[in-house]
């Protein structure tokens, strides 16, 4: 079946990653990946907890009310 990644392929990929990066670097990479995914998820599902909304300066609101 084309495009299917089975257990042997995953084991081979894991072995290659282990050989390239080493056992000391893998946990650090996993944490970084998890942190990045969490930040991305929070930015996409921005539910207003962090107050990341745009504020309108007072000068602009006064000009608008005067007009």
């Amino acid at each position: 079946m084309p495009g299917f990644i089975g257990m042997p392929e995953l084991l081979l990929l894991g072995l290659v990653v282990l050989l390239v990066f080493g056992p000391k670097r893998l946990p650090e990479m996993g944490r970084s990946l998890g942190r990045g995914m969490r930040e991305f998820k929070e930015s996409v599902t921005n539910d207003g907890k962090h107050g990341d909304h745009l504020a309108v300066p007072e000068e602009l609101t006064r000009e608008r009310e005067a007009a």
Side-chain angles (χ1 to χ4, degrees):
M1 180 182 276
F4 182 76
I5 298 177
M7 186 56 74
E9 290 87 2
L10 288 175
L11 289 174
L12 181 64
L13 181 63
L15 181 65
V16 169
V17 169
L18 184 63
L19 289 174
V20 170
F21 294 109
K24 291 182 181 179
R25 181 110 166 121
L26 284 181
E28 179 183 332
M29 289 175 54
R31 277 190 296 274
S32 299
L33 182 64
R35 219 176 282 129
M37 289 173 60
R38 186 179 328 115
E39 288 177 8
F40 178 75
K41 178 184 169 192
E42 287 174 357
S43 69
V44 170
T45 62
N46 189 4
D47 53 1
K49 289 182 188 175
H50 302 291
D52 291 340
H53 61 285
L54 296 175
V56 178
E58 286 184 32
E59 302 126 12
L60 295 178
T61 55
R62 276 190 255 135
E63 289 174 7
R64 190 174 204 188
E65 290 172 357

